[in-house]
Amino acid sequence: MTFRTDLEIAQAHQMIPITDLAASIGLSEEDIDLYGRYKAKIGLHVLEKFKERPAGRLIDVTAVTPTPLGEGKTLTTIGLTQGLGRIGKRAACTLRQPSMGPVFGIKGGAAGGGYAQVVPMEDLNLHFTGDIHAVGQAHNLLAAMLDASLYHGNPHDIDLHTITWTRVMDVNDRALRDVVVGLGGPVNGYPREAAFEATTASEVMAVLALADGIQNLRQRLGRIVVGFNRKGHPVTAEDLQGAGAMAVILKEAVKPNLIQTLEGQPCIVHAGPFANIAHGQCSVLADRMALKLVDYVVTESGFGADLGMEKFMDIKCRQSGLRPDCVVVTCTIRSLKMHGGVGRIIPGKPLPEEIRRENPAAVAEGCRNLAHMIKIAHYYGVPVVVAVNRFLEDTDAEVETVLREAVRAGALSAHPVTAWAEGGAGAVDLAAGVVSACERGGEFRLLYPDELSIKEKIEVLARRVYNADEVAYEPLAEKKIARFEELGWGRLPICMAKTHLSISHDPMLRNVPSGYVFPIRDIRVSLGAGFLYPLAGAMLTMPGLPSRPAAFGIDIDERGRVKGLF
């Protein structure tokens, strides 16, 4: 059987002019800034313009612990949005912008897939409207100003050993993880160890995602901590007089971006942090705008419920006042088989035969991971619906096993999804289940209060979310926790930096590990974003390219059209 690639489907699609799409949700030409015929930025004044409108329903799409290939959360998000349209609901999705690191690496983009995509997909997966570049420029300007301050007499008396501000770029490049800057003699500054991280891991990206307007963005940028002086006091972007210029670089990037699904629903794309090393959400501004423009908003959190969804609830909802009406937990048969102890999935290689072979028993065992994710969602008082992204080789017996186990674990309903092949028609049942869950409602609550100490918050997460028995703190983490408490930062929420390939800190521990010690090796502050981020296990914030990166197959033809992009 031959299938068209995602790129072929997207390029064959006739898009709606963005002005017409905007008009369909009440936006005039004065409300948008055009970036060509099919994408636009939405002015922040729209929030004031529609402030009297009632807000729509908010649905957060999350997942089980994924395989290294991902389980199609973005596809579910877009397919569900299209499915809601098929049953007569005014719906939109809000997505994170893809990083070009995975696009040219191995994981691929973040525009969905098959007939559940947002378009123009080439633009979205590449430069789009330049927001990620703007974030990188703002971040690196602050890094340059920091090194300039050190060179010009170090007026803030910064202790070089405490500097935490890196440089960033939107390309996977392992050679830049650890570097030495300032080589070449005194004219080039002071030699010191430094690092590069992915742009999407930047605190500037988190600030962009959590800000509620341009002035709040400016204030948050000013609070960014770059290091400490020799008396132990924090030195900020405001101290370095860099926050104003950073805000100017971001003055267009702060506006959310409007594009469309293949079935004509609006999609608002804004911000792009990963949930294993950041908080993993699209922007507060995107969600707030969408909730005023349509009746159902489907958003997506990075990776599994133990990462993206937990951070959606405990960071984004805590800071913004947003409240979800439903959580959708996405899974695949292949992911549940993996958690059930069958096969090893390696990016870039075909699925092993044991994964492809029918095995309802392994699926049932892997459903313990699904049940744990449902339990985490229930901590927040939100109803849960399960989506099973169905592949051709999945058997009826395997799918029925998941549907049965999902309801047994507390999901209101569970539905196979074939949106990749059928678009919105393949997510109609899921859409109906989500509408029913939203109407049933819940009683939202946070996992922990602000008043708990830093260690108490970490331990709530470790025991209830990561299923650990206890937490162990390395001396560096102990020292910094004590310092942060003294500085008054103990009320901040926790953004755990840990692997996305396990509920635990160890990517080799599958399903629902238990009886282990959760290790905290370090803890850092993102004061501008408004959270603390402990580091559990070995976390890379700058990925590397594989031996055969996706970039090998990406090119441009004689007509100037992209080819080889998924």
Side-chain angles (χ1 to χ4, degrees):
M1 188 177 296
T2 303
F3 296 98
R4 291 201 291 175
T5 67
D6 294 348
L7 181 59
E8 289 169 340
I9 292 169
Q11 289 181 337
H13 178 72
Q14 182 57 53
M15 290 179 278
I16 302 167
I18 201 67
T19 50
D20 294 349
L21 180 74
S24 73
I25 52 175
L27 297 176
S28 69
E29 291 190 19
E30 288 72 35
D31 296 328
I32 59 176
D33 299 328
L34 298 179
Y35 280 66
R37 294 190 64 199
Y38 302 112
K39 55 186 187 287
K41 281 190 167 290
I42 306 174
L44 300 189
H45 67 272
V46 164
L47 288 169
E48 179 65 23
K49 179 178 179 178
F50 295 119
K51 67 179 181 180
E52 300 303 324
R53 279 190 184 178
R57 305 278 199 174
L58 181 60
I59 301 105
D60 184 50
V61 177
T62 185
V64 297
T65 302
T67 70
L69 303 178
E71 309 318 308
K73 271 195 326 300
T74 307
L75 186 148
T76 299
T77 300
I78 298 165
L80 172 56
T81 303
Q82 295 176 165
L84 287 164
R86 294 284 185 120
I87 63 173
K89 304 299 183 183
R90 296 173 65 249
C93 53
T94 58
L95 298 178
R96 298 164 292 154
Q97 183 180 342
S99 163
M100 285 196 291
V103 167
F104 291 111
I106 199 164
K107 189 174 184 292
Y115 291 91
Q117 291 190 61
V118 290
V119 285
M121 74 89 89
E122 300 108 301
D123 292 3
L124 177 60
N125 282 313
L126 299 172
H127 297 280
F128 200 32
T129 58
D131 292 352
I132 289 182
H133 295 306
V135 168
Q137 287 296 100
H139 182 115
N140 290 334
L141 172 63
L142 182 59
M145 293 181 74
L146 168 60
D147 278 304
S149 180
L150 296 175
Y151 176 76
H152 293 292
N154 193 9
H156 301 288
D157 197 29
I158 298 172
D159 181 347
L160 271 62
H161 298 293
T162 69
I163 292 174
T164 55
W165 198 248
T166 61
R167 284 171 169 80
V168 298
M169 62 187 299
D170 194 36
V171 173
N172 291 357
D173 191 346
R174 61 173 51 82
L176 293 179
R177 286 173 183 161
D178 295 289
V179 299
V180 176
V181 297
L183 297 179
V187 71
N188 292 341
Y190 290 101
R192 65 179 182 88
E193 292 185 3
F196 274 80
E197 297 178 312
T199 305
T200 44
S202 168
E203 184 179 352
V204 177
M205 183 64 86
V207 164
L208 180 69
L210 290 164
D212 62 14
I214 188 67
Q215 287 305 312
N216 183 248
L217 176 82
R218 168 64 181 79
Q219 292 162 6
R220 286 173 176 269
L221 292 171
R223 294 199 296 266
I224 288 173
V225 175
V226 300
F228 294 82
N229 65 22
R230 288 185 175 86
K231 293 183 178 179
H233 300 146
V235 179
T236 66
E238 200 69 69
D239 294 328
L240 294 173
Q241 301 181 59
M246 294 168 72
V248 169
I249 292 173
L250 296 168
K251 72 181 183 65
E252 293 302 309
V254 75
K255 300 174 185 176
N257 307 284
L258 178 65
I259 53 174
Q260 62 193 275
T261 73
L262 288 178
E263 297 185 9
Q265 288 87 9
C267 173
I268 302 179
V269 180
H270 202 211
F274 294 118
N276 52 351
I277 51 180
H279 75 293
Q281 317 298 322
C282 76
S283 75
V284 168
L285 288 168
D287 284 355
R288 284 182 173 169
M289 284 182 177
L291 287 166
K292 292 295 185 178
L293 295 172
V294 297
D295 298 324
Y296 289 85
V297 176
V298 187
T299 193
E300 172 194 6
S301 295
F303 299 122
D306 60 314
L307 277 170
M309 190 208 69
E310 183 275 319
K311 295 173 182 180
F312 172 82
M313 304 292 189
D314 284 315
I315 296 174
K316 185 176 181 180
C317 291
R318 185 188 301 267
Q319 293 193 24
S320 67
L322 292 167
R323 297 293 182 259
D325 295 282
C326 175
V327 164
V328 174
V329 179
T330 302
C331 65
T332 60
I333 299 299
R334 72 185 183 195
S335 66
L336 299 176
K337 284 181 179 175
M338 179 195 73
H339 287 299
V342 173
R344 185 182 176 205
I345 298 175
I346 301 173
K349 294 187 177 182
L351 287 177
E353 180 58 33
E354 58 267 33
I355 288 282
R356 302 172 66 92
R357 194 180 303 126
E358 183 179 52
N359 193 336
V363 171
E365 173 62 17
C367 280
R368 292 199 300 116
N369 186 274
L370 172 61
H372 186 75
M373 299 306 183
I374 294 169
K375 179 173 73 171
I376 295 171
H378 283 159
Y379 289 156
Y380 300 94
V382 182
V384 177
V385 174
V386 168
V388 186
N389 272 336
R390 184 160 189 176
F391 290 75
L392 287 175
E393 61 265 26
D394 300 340
T395 68
D396 290 344
E398 291 172 331
V399 173
E400 287 298 326
T401 297
V402 182
L403 304 185
R404 180 185 68 248
E405 293 300 321
V407 172
R408 181 180 295 174
L412 291 184
S413 61
H415 310 274
V417 173
T418 54
W420 183 87
E422 301 179 286
V428 164
D429 290 344
L430 175 64
V434 164
V435 169
S436 177
C438 287
E439 290 172 351
R440 173 169 174 163
E443 220 173 289
F444 180 80
R445 55 186 175 269
L446 296 169
L447 185 61
Y448 54 79
D450 295 341
E451 292 74 22
L452 291 187
S453 69
I454 294 171
K455 280 190 172 183
E456 286 172 329
K457 291 170 184 170
I458 290 172
E459 287 163 19
V460 167
L461 288 171
R463 294 177 189 277
R464 302 191 67 190
V465 178
Y466 314 141
N467 209 42
D469 270 8
E470 59 181 293
V471 181
Y473 301 90
E474 292 190 14
L476 177 62
E478 291 275 15
K479 180 180 177 180
K480 291 174 78 170
I481 286 171
R483 176 192 286 182
F484 291 173
E485 293 278 11
E486 289 173 7
L487 289 168
W489 298 342
R491 291 179 59 87
L492 295 176
I494 299 299
C495 181
M496 188 67 69
K498 77 171 191 71
T499 181
H500 60 289
L501 297 174
S502 172
I503 288 170
S504 76
H505 65 289
D506 183 349
M508 301 308 294
L509 296 179
R510 305 299 191 194
N511 215 346
V512 187
S514 60
Y516 72 96
V517 177
F518 191 78
I520 302 296
R521 64 180 177 85
D522 194 4
I523 183 168
R524 299 172 186 171
V525 62
S526 288
L527 201 58
F531 53 69
L532 302 173
Y533 63 105
L535 278 64
M539 282 301 305
L540 293 176
T541 54
M542 169 56 82
L545 291 174
S547 60
R548 293 194 58 81
F552 281 7
I554 297 173
D555 209 331
I556 196 161
D557 67 17
E558 63 278 0
R559 294 180 296 166
R561 286 162 64 97
V562 175
K563 61 181 184 179
L565 192 65
F566 327 120

